[in-house]
Amino acid sequence: MRGLPVHDRRWASDGIPGEAMLSDERSPDTTDSNSGEEFVEVTFDLQDDDTIILRSVEPATVINIEDVSGTVSAGPETPGSTSASVSRSSTMIRRSSSNKFLQFSQELKAEAVAKAKHFSQELKAELRRFSWSHGQAAKVLSTSHSNGGGGGGGFESALAARALRRQRAQLDRTRSSAHKALRGLKFISNNKTNRVDAWNEVQNNFDKLAKDGYLYRADFAQCIGMRDSKEFALELFDALGRRRRLKVEKIGKDELYEFWSQITDQSFDSRLQIFFDMVDKNEDGRITEEEVKEIIMLSASANKLSRLREQAEEYAALIMEELDPERLGYIELWQLETLLLQKDTYLSYSQALSYTSQALSQNLHGLRKRGPIRRFSKQFIYFLQENWRRIWVLALWIMIMIALFTWKFFQYKQKNAFKVMGYCLLTAKGAAETLKLNMAIILLPVCRNTITWLRSTRLGYFVPFDDNINFHKTIAAAIVIGVILHAGNHLACDFPRLINSSDVYYSRYLSDDFGGHKPSYAKLTRGAEGVTGILMVILMAIAFTLATRWFRRSLIKLPKPFDRLTGFNAFWYSHHLFVIVYILLIIHGVFLYLVHGWYKKTTWMYLAVPVLLYAGERALRSFRSTFYTVQLRKVAIYPGNVLTLQMSKPSQFRYKSGQYMFVQCPAVSPFEWHPFSITSAPGDDYLSVHIRQLGDWTQELKRVFSEACERPLAGKSGLLRADETTKKSLPKLLIDGPYGAPAQDYGKYDVLLLVGLGIGATPFISILKDLLNNIVRMEEQAESLSDVSRISDLSIGSNDGSSHGRTSPKRKKALKTTNAYFYWVTREQGSFDWFKGVMNEVAELDQRGVIEMHNYLTSVYEEGDARSTLITMVQALNHAKNGVDIVSGTRVRTHFARPNWKKVLSKLCSKHCNARIGVFYCGAPVLAKELSKLCYEFNQKGSTKFEFHKEHF
């Protein structure tokens, strides 16, 4: 006895008697006399040609007649009669005009009531025979299994228990859950909202890929836009073919349109059926555990989740355990739908942020229309508030340059040389004075020790020290302009004017400066002034070019051997050419044209202090790096080409969370130092950094440590590891620091929003660990204070005299930060291994919910896409049962695709009214612009203020 049809389609009920259950609900409008009545909801559409199409009949509780496309609630109805009604869903009931609408609804109601009453009597009789509940049936089933199978009676009990579960599932399928489901199970994630435009694109693809008018199976994925998940598209192709009872290798355009119409159908039920058919390859209406395993592996492959493929068998068993408690060995369509509609219940551990009416009113207030003048003034005021530190520093710098240029311009206008060389000379000398200034102050932003100290003083409130690298680049741009004006005017303007001047003018105005005989162009350029100037221009051109982003980031691909001109190494070594440039600059400043007194040759005066300061910094770094002796404790190479170095912490090395340090490995290069965020907390007894392979130096560093690491033993993690017990000797490391960074000021804010892209999460791991240590310490202090208070209460009365002399334990300053939200966005599943221990530790010890963590994996299709639907189901089930996320392997849930940052900030704004929220970001510049813009928008709406900070190295 199988008891079920061979191919069970949506809501089919022609195999098990009593496959419906009477609802206990009743309409609020009913009286006691008809309290036993129950109602159904009939949905239909009224077309333009007065054709009425009956769409569905579902259980309902309220009698209601809607206007045009409405519902008619009628007497008792059950899923059994629903099935009968739906079978006539294509029936066309014509009415000549809308005034017959009420008559039709009354007829329909009467018919439904009669059928429902008749069926309810039959159902009650069936329910008396099957009086056991789901739990009783499961108990009978388990007893039969323990007795060796239980025979036909145990199997019938299992079928009955499943029938009752199905009835409940059908009655629980509310409109709200169905509406949510409409957003799910999308096979095509197309940006085009117009289906016609989407189909036109598919047609164009068909025309390009078709051979002899047919599209072959192998090209189906590319044609419909699933190029990145070809295996999934092929299974979809086969499932659509099976629905037509065909197994084809090629299709025409008409068949392609039929396939396209089905996979883009707006009906959730239709898309669910297609997904079910993809799994149900033998078309028996049932899915076995092996078939579930296959679709999990297929989904994992489409989403680049290699580990999920390895554990597909385990997760298939998990789904069967949840959906097949009767242990029949298969699941049906309605069970798959139940799991999909109830996944939010399983994901309840990830609670949404609450809203407050005050915050909503603030947001609404921000949406009110403003006039253009008021809007511009608000934007201007906000711009000043956000950038006043940068504005006054840049304004002061520009004013000083203008003053120096103007001073030299008018000074040389009074000289005799002006009458021959003209304004070319004035421009060259004015530019030269700005060059002296800029060549001096360009060294100050890279004096990192000085800046780290200054940013901790009160001056840090007025000067944006975190923008030091940007200011360094801005000064470099001004130097380029100055060199062009200075050298260009000399070589192309005033030198030619001097040579072409008459002998009378030369002897009258220039003979005292250039000698009695007029020099040639070659003599002017061969002199000390000319040679040093031209060499400086050449060396600076090389250094500035290789320092640009295209060369430094290896964005330009050059043929060998010129490929060595790109990369960080080329930037690093070429920048040291400035040592020669500064020597040449001092020589150039001694042999100046038109200047004879030593006290008027001011180049060395500009350079003295900055050069000495910078030289002292480099000497300090060299001395300190030898003073800070570190021993490597642990080395690990994680997926995603990330090297983790854990080392002993020198007693003199004190730092704050969010700061960074420089690392040198003599085995790779005895000269190069590279900055890395410190990922250990200040309270830890070790230092750690996470280094991702991005350039030539990091590639070589990983290679050196890979040779020192040992291969994993059988049954151990697949990571390359080395520690103090490793027999091989580890390469020597030198460190220097710590240095200041924007993230170290996190303690100034009430709420933190920490956003890291990929390896950009490193500055915030130390902050999370530090916050966690503070939380644990504060809880311990609270416990100790309560113990002291309890002891003092007990001693009152007996020791009143001595109680006055007792002092309470010293309390540390309370932590200002009340909440922290960490968003980590990465492209690779293996990235979560980098900080798995930290995330698990935070999730376990943060009982008060101070820290909220969100992982986002962009390689997985967004939630709702059919390619990730089953992964979402497994993720929800596994976390609900075991408390572990299947993607990250941590207790933190992994979301799919990219975050909706506007929604993230909106929730924070709603939850934390009147708070000062620090937004700290480390990653690609594109997202930095988006977050900065969003912070500006939300700051206009209410009292919650967002302050954006981006990490700079």
Side-chain angles (χ1 to χ4, degrees):
M1 173 181 176
R2 296 182 65 173
L4 287 174
V6 174
H7 190 64
D8 182 22
R9 290 286 181 181
R10 170 93 180 94
W11 299 126
S13 57
D14 54 335
I16 292 290
E19 224 178 337
M21 188 177 80
L22 286 173
S23 171
D24 293 333
E25 298 176 357
R26 61 178 180 173
S27 169
D29 296 330
T30 56
T31 59
D32 294 339
S33 60
N34 56 3
S35 61
E37 289 190 359
E38 294 164 69
F39 301 92
V40 294
E41 189 172 308
V42 183
T43 305
F44 54 89
D45 288 342
L46 181 62
Q47 305 296 321
D48 294 336
D49 58 352
D50 288 337
T51 300
I52 299 176
I53 301 177
L54 182 62
R55 289 296 186 193
S56 65
V57 182
E58 297 181 1
T61 57
V62 182
I63 298 177
N64 184 25
I65 300 176
E66 299 183 2
D67 294 333
V68 180
S69 183
T71 58
V72 178
S73 299
E77 182 64 295
T78 60
S81 58
T82 299
S83 216
S85 300
V86 172
S87 66
R88 302 193 306 271
S89 63
S90 60
T91 304
M92 311 296 286
I93 307 173
R94 294 192 172 273
R95 291 291 183 269
S96 59
S97 61
S98 58
N99 59 1
K100 294 185 179 181
F101 174 75
L102 183 60
Q103 179 182 354
F104 164 70
S105 64
Q106 291 173 347
E107 293 173 358
L108 187 61
K109 174 182 175 181
E111 180 183 1
V113 168
K115 287 184 176 294
K117 287 182 177 179
H118 175 72
F119 186 81
S120 65
Q121 294 173 357
E122 295 181 352
L123 181 61
K124 288 176 182 177
E126 292 291 343
L127 290 178
R128 291 191 192 98
R129 188 160 62 91
F130 295 100
S131 58
W132 52 81
S133 64
H134 174 62
Q136 292 170 323
K139 183 177 179 180
V140 171
L141 180 61
S142 62
T143 304
S144 65
H145 278 295
S146 64
N147 291 333
F155 185 72
E156 291 180 5
S157 300
L159 289 176
R162 177 169 290 192
L164 290 176
R165 283 203 306 119
R166 178 174 181 174
Q167 293 156 12
R168 290 193 184 97
Q170 291 175 353
L171 293 176
D172 289 343
R173 186 178 184 261
T174 62
R175 279 191 174 277
S176 60
S177 60
H179 178 70
K180 286 182 180 179
L182 288 175
R183 300 196 299 265
L185 268 182
K186 295 180 296 183
F187 288 96
I188 302 296
S189 298
N190 199 311
N191 294 329
K192 293 182 173 62
T193 55
N194 191 332
R195 296 179 67 191
V196 176
D197 292 340
W199 166 243
N200 289 336
E201 186 176 332
V202 173
Q203 282 191 103
N204 294 334
N205 293 337
F206 178 88
D207 295 335
K208 295 176 184 177
L209 299 171
K211 300 173 184 176
D212 300 327
Y214 288 96
L215 178 73
Y216 282 82
R217 179 177 178 270
D219 298 324
F220 181 70
Q222 185 175 352
C223 185
I224 65 173
M226 282 191 178
R227 183 183 303 176
D228 295 335
S229 45
K230 186 175 181 180
E231 294 179 7
F232 190 91
L234 293 179
E235 290 294 340
L236 177 61
F237 181 92
D238 294 340
L240 295 172
R242 287 194 298 269
R243 300 184 93 187
R244 303 174 76 248
R245 298 295 185 267
L246 296 173
K247 186 175 182 180
V248 294
E249 287 296 321
K250 59 183 180 178
I251 56 175
K253 183 175 288 190
D254 292 338
E255 294 167 312
L256 175 64
Y257 181 75
E258 181 183 342
F259 283 10
W260 176 259
S261 300
Q262 292 181 54
I263 62 180
T264 59
D265 197 319
Q266 295 298 307
S267 168
F268 167 68
D269 295 338
S270 175
R271 296 197 299 267
L272 178 65
Q273 186 66 61
I274 294 174
F275 186 77
F276 186 88
D277 292 342
M278 287 179 63
V279 188
D280 181 25
K281 295 182 180 180
N282 57 4
E283 299 182 88
D284 63 350
R286 302 171 177 180
I287 299 177
T288 63
E289 184 172 336
E290 187 61 29
E291 289 174 322
V292 173
K293 176 185 173 182
E294 290 181 13
I295 197 65
I296 289 177
M297 294 182 67
L298 189 64
S299 298
S301 177
N303 291 280
K304 302 179 179 65
L305 299 176
S306 56
R307 296 183 187 175
L308 197 63
R309 288 175 58 87
E310 298 169 1
Q311 298 174 288
E313 185 173 348
E314 174 188 345
Y315 295 138
L318 180 66
I319 287 184
M320 295 301 294
E321 179 183 346
E322 176 68 19
L323 298 185
D324 183 30
E326 302 86 11
R327 301 180 185 176
L328 293 176
Y330 62 88
I331 58 176
E332 301 166 279
L333 179 66
W334 65 270
Q335 292 163 289
L336 195 64
E337 180 194 43
T338 301
L339 179 60
L340 179 63
L341 296 181
Q342 293 182 353
K343 73 176 177 63
D344 290 336
T345 303
Y346 295 105
L347 294 176
S348 60
Y349 62 86
S350 181
Q351 299 179 357
L353 300 176
S354 60
Y355 286 84
T356 63
S357 58
Q358 180 183 359
L360 289 176
S361 65
Q362 290 172 355
N363 291 341
L364 291 174
H365 175 74
L367 296 176
R368 294 172 186 169
K369 293 184 178 179
R370 298 191 182 101
I373 298 177
R374 187 177 179 185
R375 185 168 60 250
F376 175 78
S377 63
K378 290 281 288 184
Q379 292 175 351
F380 181 71
I381 292 172
Y382 177 78
F383 176 80
L384 291 179
Q385 291 174 343
E386 290 294 304
N387 300 283
W388 68 269
R389 297 174 183 85
R390 299 183 182 95
I391 291 172
W392 86 261
V393 171
L394 288 175
L396 178 63
W397 171 59
I398 293 172
M399 287 171 61
I400 293 174
M401 285 196 300
I402 293 174
L404 291 173
F405 185 92
T406 305
W407 170 51
K408 279 297 174 181
F409 187 91
F410 286 102
Q411 185 186 56
Y412 273 83
K413 194 173 183 180
Q414 307 303 320
K415 292 182 177 292
N416 291 331
F418 168 67
K419 295 179 173 61
V420 177
M421 296 183 176
Y423 285 97
C424 297
L425 175 65
L426 274 56
T427 304
K429 288 299 183 179
E433 204 67 19
T434 65
L435 279 173
K436 296 175 188 178
L437 171 72
N438 290 327
M439 289 297 289
I441 65 174
I442 197 173
L443 297 173
L444 299 180
V446 290
C447 293
R448 299 176 186 268
N449 288 289
T450 304
I451 288 179
T452 301
W453 171 69
L454 288 175
R455 74 187 312 283
S456 62
T457 64
R458 291 190 177 182
L459 193 60
Y461 178 75
F462 300 98
V463 180
F465 289 112
D466 291 329
D467 288 330
N468 61 320
I469 299 301
N470 287 334
F471 189 45
H472 179 77
K473 295 176 181 177
T474 305
I475 298 172
I479 289 175
V480 171
I481 297 172
V483 167
I484 293 172
L485 291 176
H486 178 70
N489 277 284
H490 272 322
L491 297 174
C493 185
D494 55 24
F495 283 1
R497 287 173 70 98
L498 184 153
I499 296 166
N500 296 324
S501 65
S502 64
D503 293 338
V504 176
Y505 267 71
Y506 177 81
S507 60
R508 182 185 301 177
Y509 299 113
L510 298 175
S511 59
D512 293 339
D513 297 311
F514 293 95
H517 297 284
K518 186 167 54 175
S520 64
Y521 194 90
K523 184 178 180 181
L524 289 173
T525 55
R526 282 200 307 264
E529 306 93 326
V531 171
T532 54
I534 293 172
L535 286 176
M536 282 192 293
V537 171
I538 295 173
L539 294 178
M540 285 195 287
I542 295 172
F544 284 161
T545 301
L546 298 183
T548 57
R549 180 172 177 268
W550 300 283
F551 283 87
R552 184 165 45 89
R553 298 280 187 180
S554 298
L555 299 180
I556 294 179
K557 303 300 181 184
L558 299 176
K560 292 183 177 181
F562 300 104
D563 58 337
R564 292 183 175 273
L565 295 177
T566 62
F568 190 86
N569 274 352
F571 156 73
W572 176 259
Y573 290 112
S574 67
H575 242 54
H576 284 78
L577 292 175
F578 275 99
V579 175
I580 304 174
V581 169
Y582 276 96
I583 295 173
L584 293 173
L585 181 58
I586 293 174
I587 297 173
H588 185 79
V590 173
F591 296 93
L592 284 179
Y593 297 118
L594 307 174
V595 180
H596 306 292
W598 69 269
Y599 56 91
K600 293 182 180 180
K601 299 176 180 180
T602 57
T603 303
W604 66 273
M605 300 178 187
Y606 280 96
L607 299 179
V609 174
V611 168
L612 288 175
L613 181 62
Y614 182 75
E617 286 250 350
R618 295 300 295 262
L620 174 63
R621 290 176 58 177
S622 178
F623 170 75
R624 190 168 54 186
S625 63
T626 57
F627 185 70
Y628 286 155
T629 56
V630 295
Q631 297 293 328
L632 281 171
R633 290 185 175 181
K634 180 180 176 184
V635 176
I637 299 177
Y638 289 101
N641 292 322
V642 169
L643 171 67
T644 300
L645 302 177
Q646 188 181 109
M647 63 203 81
S648 60
K649 183 170 71 172
S651 58
Q652 303 86 356
F653 193 93
R654 296 181 178 87
Y655 64 97
K656 298 179 181 178
S657 291
Q659 291 186 330
Y660 66 96
M661 67 180 182
F662 278 85
V663 175
Q664 185 201 71
C665 181
V668 177
S669 171
F671 305 109
E672 293 186 48
W673 291 85
H674 293 261
F676 298 102
S677 298
I678 304 172
T679 53
S680 54
D684 295 335
D685 62 350
Y686 61 89
L687 288 174
S688 66
V689 291
H690 287 66
I691 302 172
R692 184 164 192 179
Q693 179 183 323
L694 293 174
D696 39 19
W697 186 86
T698 52
Q699 288 176 355
E700 184 65 15
L701 186 73
K702 180 194 171 187
R703 187 193 65 78
V704 168
F705 278 98
S706 297
E707 294 175 354
C709 289
E710 294 183 344
R711 298 289 168 181
L713 299 174
K716 297 290 184 180
S717 170
L719 305 176
L720 292 172
R721 295 182 181 274
D723 51 32
E724 295 170 323
T725 62
T726 305
K727 296 179 181 178
K728 297 180 181 179
S729 60
L730 296 172
K732 182 182 178 182
L733 275 186
L734 300 176
I735 66 169
D736 177 51
Y739 294 104
Q744 75 177 66
D745 297 326
Y746 72 93
K748 299 190 302 186
Y749 297 96
D750 306 316
V751 179
L752 300 178
L753 174 59
L754 311 174
V755 181
L757 262 61
I759 198 64
T762 50
F764 310 127
I765 295 301
S766 178
I767 293 176
L768 293 179
K769 295 175 72 174
D770 194 37
L771 284 173
L772 183 63
N773 292 340
N774 285 329
I775 292 168
V776 173
R777 185 171 62 248
M778 289 173 64
E779 290 177 350
E780 291 175 351
Q781 287 180 358
E783 291 178 0
S784 64
L785 287 174
S786 62
D787 292 341
V788 170
S789 176
R790 193 181 307 112
I791 294 172
S792 63
D793 290 342
L794 292 174
S795 62
I796 290 176
S798 60
N799 293 323
D800 277 344
S802 60
S803 64
H804 297 288
R806 186 168 53 246
T807 58
S808 60
K810 184 179 180 180
R811 299 183 64 178
K812 292 187 178 181
K813 184 179 178 181
L815 186 66
K816 183 176 182 180
T817 304
T818 58
N819 290 90
Y821 301 88
F822 175 51
Y823 283 79
W824 186 15
V825 185
T826 184
R827 291 179 300 197
E828 302 169 357
Q829 183 186 9
S831 303
F832 296 119
D833 287 345
W834 305 345
F835 310 115
K836 181 186 292 186
V838 176
M839 289 189 287
N840 281 330
E841 188 178 5
V842 171
E844 181 179 353
L845 297 179
D846 183 21
Q847 301 298 326
R848 292 163 45 200
V850 173
I851 302 172
E852 186 175 300
M853 295 179 292
H854 299 270
N855 295 335
Y856 281 82
L857 186 61
T858 58
S859 68
V860 180
Y861 291 95
E862 63 182 352
E863 295 180 17
D865 193 294
R867 286 164 285 191
S868 62
T869 294
L870 201 63
I871 296 175
T872 307
M873 295 180 188
V874 175
Q875 180 194 45
L877 283 173
N878 192 71
H879 200 284
K881 181 178 180 181
N882 303 318
V884 177
D885 182 75
I886 64 171
V887 177
S888 66
T890 68
R891 297 177 61 183
V892 182
R893 178 195 171 191
T894 300
H895 306 271
F896 301 148
R898 291 174 173 81
N900 184 332
W901 294 112
K902 189 170 186 178
K903 187 179 293 185
V904 170
L905 266 68
S906 177
K907 290 179 178 180
L908 288 177
C909 188
S910 301
K911 185 175 182 180
H912 302 286
C913 301
N914 304 314
R916 187 178 172 214
I917 301 178
V919 181
F920 294 90
Y921 170 75
C922 185
V926 176
L927 183 54
K929 294 179 180 178
E930 180 183 351
L931 289 174
S932 179
K933 183 179 178 181
L934 286 173
C935 289
Y936 164 74
E937 291 178 359
F938 279 95
N939 285 342
Q940 302 297 308
K941 294 182 180 181
S943 58
T944 304
K945 296 301 178 185
F946 295 88
E947 294 187 20
F948 179 75
H949 303 273
K950 183 183 183 300
E951 293 292 316
H952 300 284
F953 288 138

